[in-house]
Amino acid sequence: MERLEWILSTLEQMLNTKQKRHIAGGVLVSAALLFRGLGVTVVTLKDETHELEEF
């Protein structure tokens, strides 16, 4: 529990201004979109692999 409090305290100190929170939010959204794109790519590649094995 102390570790969680320490992490939250550190985040609060790092993101103490509106501009820093805005930048951090943008980075998180970008990372989420990147991993979504990677997931879609993996799913589509798996579908193509199964289609090629059938022939």
Side-chain angles (χ1 to χ4, degrees), residues 4-6 8 12 20 24 28 30 35-36 49 55:
L4 178 61
E5 290 175 0
W6 178 78
L8 292 176
E12 184 179 357
K20 289 180 183 178
L28 290 174
S30 296
F35 287 115
R36 179 180 176 258
T49 304
F55 289 113

Side-chain angles (χ1 to χ4, degrees), residues 39-53:
V40 168
T41 302
V42 168
V43 169
T44 57
L45 286 177
K46 283 184 179 178
D47 289 343
E48 290 177 6
T49 304
H50 291 301
E51 289 176 4
L52 292 175
E53 290 175 355

